Protein backbone atom coordinates (compact mmCIF):
# COMPACT_ATOMS: atom_id res chain seq x y z
CA UNK A 1 0.00 0.00 0.00
CA UNK A 2 1.30 3.46 -0.91
CA UNK A 3 1.93 5.81 2.00
CA UNK A 4 0.75 8.73 -0.11
CA UNK A 5 -2.25 9.63 -2.27
CA UNK A 6 -1.96 9.74 -6.05
CA UNK A 7 -2.81 12.98 -7.95
CA UNK A 8 -6.37 11.89 -8.76
CA UNK A 9 -7.14 11.11 -5.12
CA UNK A 10 -5.48 14.37 -4.06
CA UNK A 11 -7.74 16.30 -6.43
CA UNK A 12 -10.79 14.56 -4.99
CA UNK A 13 -9.68 15.39 -1.43
CA UNK A 14 -9.03 19.01 -2.36
CA UNK A 15 -12.51 19.23 -3.90
CA UNK A 16 -14.05 17.55 -0.85
CA UNK A 17 -12.43 20.14 1.43
CA UNK A 18 -14.13 22.89 -0.53
CA UNK A 19 -17.48 21.14 -0.41
CA UNK A 20 -17.13 20.60 3.33
CA UNK A 21 -16.33 24.25 4.04
CA UNK A 22 -19.18 25.40 1.82
CA UNK A 23 -21.56 23.38 4.01
CA UNK A 24 -20.46 24.97 7.29
CA UNK A 25 -22.73 27.40 9.15
CA UNK A 26 -21.67 31.00 8.52
CA UNK A 27 -20.41 31.53 12.08
CA UNK A 28 -18.10 28.51 11.93
CA UNK A 29 -16.79 29.51 8.51
CA UNK A 30 -16.06 33.03 9.76
CA UNK A 31 -14.18 31.66 12.77
CA UNK A 32 -11.92 29.41 10.69
CA UNK A 33 -11.34 32.29 8.24
CA UNK A 34 -10.19 34.57 11.08
CA UNK A 35 -7.89 31.78 12.29
CA UNK A 36 -6.49 31.38 8.79
CA UNK A 37 -5.48 35.04 8.74
CA UNK A 38 -3.97 34.75 12.22
CA UNK A 39 -1.84 31.72 11.32
CA UNK A 40 -0.54 33.20 8.05
CA UNK A 41 0.39 36.39 9.91
CA UNK A 42 2.20 34.37 12.59
CA UNK A 43 4.33 32.77 9.89
CA UNK A 44 5.00 36.23 8.47
CA UNK A 45 5.96 37.61 11.87
CA UNK A 46 8.36 34.74 12.47
CA UNK A 47 10.05 35.34 9.11
CA UNK A 48 10.40 39.08 9.84
CA UNK A 49 11.92 38.61 13.28
CA UNK A 50 14.50 36.05 12.16
CA UNK A 51 15.38 37.26 8.65
CA UNK A 52 15.12 40.92 9.69
CA UNK A 53 17.55 40.33 12.55
CA UNK A 54 20.26 39.06 10.18
CA UNK A 55 21.28 42.49 8.85
CA UNK A 56 25.02 41.89 9.09
CA UNK A 57 24.83 38.55 7.31
CA UNK A 58 22.41 39.92 4.74
CA UNK A 59 24.74 42.69 3.66
CA UNK A 60 27.03 40.13 2.01
CA UNK A 61 24.49 37.35 1.44
CA UNK A 62 21.15 38.86 0.33
CA UNK A 63 20.00 35.56 -1.15
CA UNK A 64 20.48 33.86 2.21
CA UNK A 65 18.13 36.34 3.88
CA UNK A 66 15.49 35.72 1.20
CA UNK A 67 15.85 31.98 1.70
CA UNK A 68 15.63 32.29 5.48
CA UNK A 69 12.37 34.23 5.19
CA UNK A 70 11.13 31.63 2.70
CA UNK A 71 12.11 28.75 4.95
CA UNK A 72 10.21 30.11 7.96
CA UNK A 73 7.05 31.60 6.46
CA UNK A 74 5.46 28.22 5.51
CA UNK A 75 4.74 27.40 9.17
CA UNK A 76 1.68 29.60 8.78
CA UNK A 77 0.18 27.54 5.95
CA UNK A 78 1.13 24.33 7.75
CA UNK A 79 -0.90 25.50 10.77
CA UNK A 80 -3.80 26.43 8.49
CA UNK A 81 -3.81 22.99 6.89
CA UNK A 82 -3.38 20.84 9.98
CA UNK A 83 -5.85 22.75 12.15
CA UNK A 84 -8.54 23.02 9.45
CA UNK A 85 -8.46 26.81 9.27
CA UNK A 86 -9.58 28.63 6.14
CA UNK A 87 -7.45 30.63 3.71
CA UNK A 88 -8.74 32.69 0.81
CA UNK A 89 -5.84 31.82 -1.48
CA UNK A 90 -6.17 28.05 -1.15
CA UNK A 91 -9.94 28.48 -1.42
CA UNK A 92 -9.35 29.69 -4.96
CA UNK A 93 -8.65 26.05 -5.78
CA UNK A 94 -10.78 24.39 -3.10
CA UNK A 95 -13.97 26.12 -4.26
CA UNK A 96 -13.14 26.02 -7.98
CA UNK A 97 -13.08 22.22 -8.00
CA UNK A 98 -16.64 21.68 -6.68
CA UNK A 99 -17.79 24.62 -8.81
CA UNK A 100 -16.56 22.84 -11.93
CA UNK A 101 -18.09 19.61 -10.65
CA UNK A 102 -21.42 21.47 -10.37
CA UNK A 103 -21.57 20.79 -6.65
CA UNK A 104 -21.29 24.48 -5.77
CA UNK A 105 -23.27 27.36 -7.24
CA UNK A 106 -21.37 30.31 -8.69
CA UNK A 107 -23.10 32.75 -6.32
CA UNK A 108 -22.00 30.61 -3.35
CA UNK A 109 -18.48 30.44 -4.81
CA UNK A 110 -18.24 34.24 -4.86
CA UNK A 111 -19.84 34.63 -1.43
CA UNK A 112 -17.48 32.15 0.21
CA UNK A 113 -14.39 33.74 -1.35
CA UNK A 114 -15.57 37.17 -0.20
CA UNK A 115 -16.20 36.01 3.38
CA UNK A 116 -12.86 34.22 3.50
CA UNK A 117 -11.03 37.30 2.22
CA UNK A 118 -12.66 39.74 4.65
CA UNK A 119 -12.21 37.58 7.72
CA UNK A 120 -8.68 36.54 6.76
CA UNK A 121 -7.99 40.29 6.79
CA UNK A 122 -9.48 40.57 10.28
CA UNK A 123 -7.23 37.76 11.49
CA UNK A 124 -4.08 39.28 10.02
CA UNK A 125 -4.76 42.57 11.79
CA UNK A 126 -4.80 40.84 15.17
CA UNK A 127 -1.15 39.94 14.62
CA UNK A 128 -0.13 43.03 12.60
CA UNK A 129 -1.27 45.42 15.31
CA UNK A 130 -2.06 43.80 18.64
CA UNK A 131 0.64 41.11 18.74
CA UNK A 132 3.54 42.80 16.92
CA UNK A 133 3.46 46.54 16.14
CA UNK A 134 1.60 47.32 19.37
CA UNK A 135 4.35 45.50 21.30
CA UNK A 136 7.15 47.50 19.67
CA UNK A 137 8.55 44.65 17.59
CA UNK A 138 9.25 47.05 14.72
CA UNK A 139 10.11 50.16 16.73
CA UNK A 140 13.87 49.81 16.32
CA UNK A 141 16.44 48.59 13.83
CA UNK A 142 17.28 46.23 12.30
CA UNK A 143 13.66 45.05 12.22
CA UNK A 144 12.12 48.42 11.39
CA UNK A 145 14.45 49.07 8.46
CA UNK A 146 13.98 45.55 7.16
CA UNK A 147 10.18 45.75 7.36
CA UNK A 148 10.03 49.20 5.78
CA UNK A 149 12.31 48.23 2.90
CA UNK A 150 10.48 44.93 2.41
CA UNK A 151 7.02 46.48 2.26
CA UNK A 152 8.01 49.53 0.21
CA UNK A 153 9.42 47.19 -2.43
CA UNK A 154 6.06 45.38 -2.46
CA UNK A 155 3.91 48.49 -2.77
CA UNK A 156 5.99 50.66 -5.08
CA UNK A 157 6.29 48.48 -8.16
CA UNK A 158 4.22 48.31 -11.32
CA UNK A 159 0.62 47.06 -11.18
CA UNK A 160 1.38 44.47 -13.84
CA UNK A 161 4.39 43.12 -11.93
CA UNK A 162 2.29 42.66 -8.78
CA UNK A 163 -0.44 40.89 -10.77
CA UNK A 164 1.99 38.43 -12.36
CA UNK A 165 3.74 37.84 -9.03
CA UNK A 166 0.30 37.20 -7.55
CA UNK A 167 -0.27 34.44 -10.09
CA UNK A 168 3.07 32.87 -9.19
CA UNK A 169 2.42 33.12 -5.45
CA UNK A 170 -0.93 31.36 -5.43
CA UNK A 171 0.06 28.82 -8.05
CA UNK A 172 2.72 27.72 -5.58
CA UNK A 173 0.55 28.09 -2.46
CA UNK A 174 -2.20 25.92 -3.95
CA UNK A 175 0.41 23.43 -5.14
CA UNK A 176 1.63 23.38 -1.54
CA UNK A 177 -1.86 22.51 -0.33
CA UNK A 178 -2.15 19.97 -3.16
CA UNK A 179 1.12 18.30 -2.15
CA UNK A 180 0.03 18.39 1.50
CA UNK A 181 -3.02 16.32 0.58
CA UNK A 182 -0.65 13.72 -0.90
CA UNK A 183 0.63 12.79 2.54
CA UNK A 184 -0.95 10.35 4.95
CA UNK A 185 1.16 11.50 7.90
CA UNK A 186 1.92 14.86 9.54
CA UNK A 187 5.62 15.00 8.58
CA UNK A 188 4.85 14.30 4.94
CA UNK A 189 2.12 16.96 4.97
CA UNK A 190 4.51 19.53 6.44
CA UNK A 191 7.19 18.81 3.85
CA UNK A 192 4.71 18.83 0.97
CA UNK A 193 3.39 22.25 1.98
CA UNK A 194 6.80 23.68 2.86
CA UNK A 195 8.53 23.21 -0.50
CA UNK A 196 6.31 25.32 -2.83
CA UNK A 197 5.61 27.99 -0.19
CA UNK A 198 9.32 28.36 0.53
CA UNK A 199 9.86 28.89 -3.20
CA UNK A 200 7.22 31.63 -3.55
CA UNK A 201 8.48 33.62 -0.55
CA UNK A 202 12.15 33.30 -1.54
CA UNK A 203 11.34 34.49 -5.06
CA UNK A 204 9.39 37.49 -3.77
CA UNK A 205 5.99 36.69 -5.25
CA UNK A 206 2.89 38.48 -3.95
CA UNK A 207 0.43 36.74 -1.62
CA UNK A 208 -2.56 38.94 -0.79
CA UNK A 209 -3.23 37.52 2.69
CA UNK A 210 0.42 37.62 3.72
CA UNK A 211 0.58 41.22 2.49
CA UNK A 212 -2.43 41.99 4.70
CA UNK A 213 -0.01 41.36 7.56
CA UNK A 214 3.28 42.75 6.25
CA UNK A 215 2.14 46.12 4.91
CA UNK A 216 -0.30 47.05 7.73
CA UNK A 217 2.40 46.09 10.26
CA UNK A 218 4.66 48.65 8.57
CA UNK A 219 1.87 51.25 8.51
CA UNK A 220 1.03 50.72 12.19
CA UNK A 221 4.71 51.11 13.14
CA UNK A 222 5.15 54.44 11.34
CA UNK A 223 6.00 53.69 7.72
CA UNK A 224 5.16 56.33 5.13
CA UNK A 225 3.07 53.87 3.11
CA UNK A 226 -0.58 54.89 2.95
CA UNK A 227 -3.59 52.57 3.04
CA UNK A 228 -4.65 53.84 -0.39
CA UNK A 229 -1.27 52.99 -1.90
CA UNK A 230 -1.34 49.58 -0.26
CA UNK A 231 -4.83 48.68 -1.46
CA UNK A 232 -4.60 50.14 -4.97
CA UNK A 233 -0.98 49.39 -5.85
CA UNK A 234 -0.45 46.05 -4.14
CA UNK A 235 -3.47 44.34 -2.56
CA UNK A 236 -5.87 44.69 -5.49
CA UNK A 237 -3.55 43.39 -8.26
CA UNK A 238 -2.09 40.72 -5.95
CA UNK A 239 -5.61 39.48 -5.17
CA UNK A 240 -6.55 39.26 -8.84
CA UNK A 241 -3.32 37.41 -9.58
CA UNK A 242 -3.92 35.06 -6.65
CA UNK A 243 -7.40 34.23 -7.95
CA UNK A 244 -6.00 33.46 -11.41
CA UNK A 245 -3.12 31.40 -10.05
CA UNK A 246 -5.25 29.29 -7.71
CA UNK A 247 -8.43 28.94 -9.76
CA UNK A 248 -6.89 28.46 -13.20
CA UNK A 249 -3.34 27.14 -12.80
CA UNK A 250 -4.31 24.60 -10.14
CA UNK A 251 -8.11 24.33 -9.88
CA UNK A 252 -8.99 24.17 -13.57
CA UNK A 253 -5.86 22.26 -14.58
CA UNK A 254 -6.22 19.44 -12.06
CA UNK A 255 -9.99 19.26 -12.49
CA UNK A 256 -9.42 18.70 -16.21
CA UNK A 257 -6.64 16.19 -15.64
CA UNK A 258 -8.35 14.09 -12.98
CA UNK A 259 -12.07 14.85 -12.61
CA UNK A 260 -13.30 15.89 -16.05
CA UNK A 261 -15.08 13.04 -17.78
CA UNK A 262 -14.88 13.11 -21.56
CA UNK A 263 -17.90 11.93 -23.49
CA UNK A 264 -17.60 8.52 -25.07
CA UNK A 265 -17.79 8.56 -28.87
CA UNK A 266 -21.22 7.53 -30.11
Amino acid sequence: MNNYNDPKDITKEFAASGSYKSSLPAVKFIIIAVLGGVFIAMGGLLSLIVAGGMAGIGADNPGLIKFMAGALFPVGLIMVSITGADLFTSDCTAFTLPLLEKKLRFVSFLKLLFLSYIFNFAGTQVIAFMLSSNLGYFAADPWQSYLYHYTEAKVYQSWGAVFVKGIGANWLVCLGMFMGYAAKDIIGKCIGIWIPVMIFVTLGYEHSIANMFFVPAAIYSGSGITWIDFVCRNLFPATLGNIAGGAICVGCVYWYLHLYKTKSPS
Side-chain angles (χ1 to χ4, degrees):
M1 175 183 287
N2 289 334
N3 64 349
Y4 59 90
N5 295 312
D6 64 32
K8 185 173 184 178
D9 287 336
I10 295 168
T11 307
K12 290 179 178 178
E13 283 205 30
F14 214 155
S17 74
S19 296
Y20 167 74
K21 285 192 286 188
S22 71
S23 70
L24 289 174
V27 172
K28 287 189 176 182
F29 185 78
I30 287 169
I31 291 171
I32 62 173
V34 171
L35 291 174
V38 166
F39 297 155
I40 289 297
M42 284 181 174
L45 178 59
L46 176 65
S47 71
L48 287 179
I49 295 301
V50 178
M54 299 173 65
I57 297 172
D60 297 321
N61 303 277
L64 181 60
I65 299 300
K66 290 179 183 292
F67 174 74
M68 185 59 66
L72 295 171
F73 179 84
V75 300
L77 188 60
I78 289 170
M79 289 191 290
V80 167
S81 176
I82 292 175
T83 65
D86 178 75
L87 185 65
F88 165 79
T89 43
S90 61
D91 283 347
C92 291
T93 292
F95 293 141
T96 294
L97 291 168
L99 175 69
L100 294 173
E101 288 287 278
K102 299 181 180 179
K103 296 178 180 178
L104 182 67
R105 295 170 56 218
F106 186 66
V107 172
S108 298
F109 171 81
L110 294 178
K111 176 184 174 182
L112 289 163
L113 285 183
F114 176 77
L115 286 174
S116 179
Y117 191 78
I118 294 299
F119 288 100
N120 277 178
F121 176 80
T124 60
Q125 301 318 290
V126 172
I127 307 301
F129 179 75
M130 188 170 69
L131 293 181
S132 58
S133 299
N134 184 55
L135 298 177
Y137 281 17
F138 310 120
D141 286 336
W143 295 281
Q144 185 180 88
S145 295
Y146 178 82
L147 175 61
Y148 286 8
H149 175 76
Y150 186 67
T151 52
E152 286 167 1
K154 285 181 169 294
V155 172
Y156 300 115
Q157 57 183 318
S158 74
W159 200 96
V162 177
F163 174 75
V164 173
K165 289 180 180 180
I167 294 174
N170 209 28
W171 192 347
L172 287 164
V173 166
C174 291
L175 281 178
M177 291 296 288
F178 190 91
M179 291 169 61
Y181 280 118
K184 295 183 179 179
D185 61 90
I186 293 294
I187 297 301
K189 182 178 287 289
C190 292
I191 294 172
I193 293 171
W194 182 83
I195 294 170
V197 179
M198 175 275 294
I199 294 172
F200 109 70
V201 178
T202 302
L203 296 180
Y205 291 158
E206 299 291 342
H207 186 269
S208 58
I209 309 304
N211 290 352
M212 289 176 182
F213 163 71
F214 290 124
V215 182
I219 294 172
Y220 295 141
S221 60
S223 168
I225 298 172
T226 66
W227 282 98
I228 291 176
D229 279 349
F230 167 48
V231 172
C232 296
R233 302 184 64 163
N234 179 271
L235 189 59
F236 183 59
T239 300
L240 293 179
N242 288 170
I243 293 171
I248 299 172
C249 299
V250 181
C252 291
V253 168
Y254 287 97
W255 170 79
Y256 179 76
L257 290 174
H258 302 299
L259 299 180
Y260 175 66
K261 297 176 179 64
T262 57
K263 293 182 179 180
S264 301
S266 54

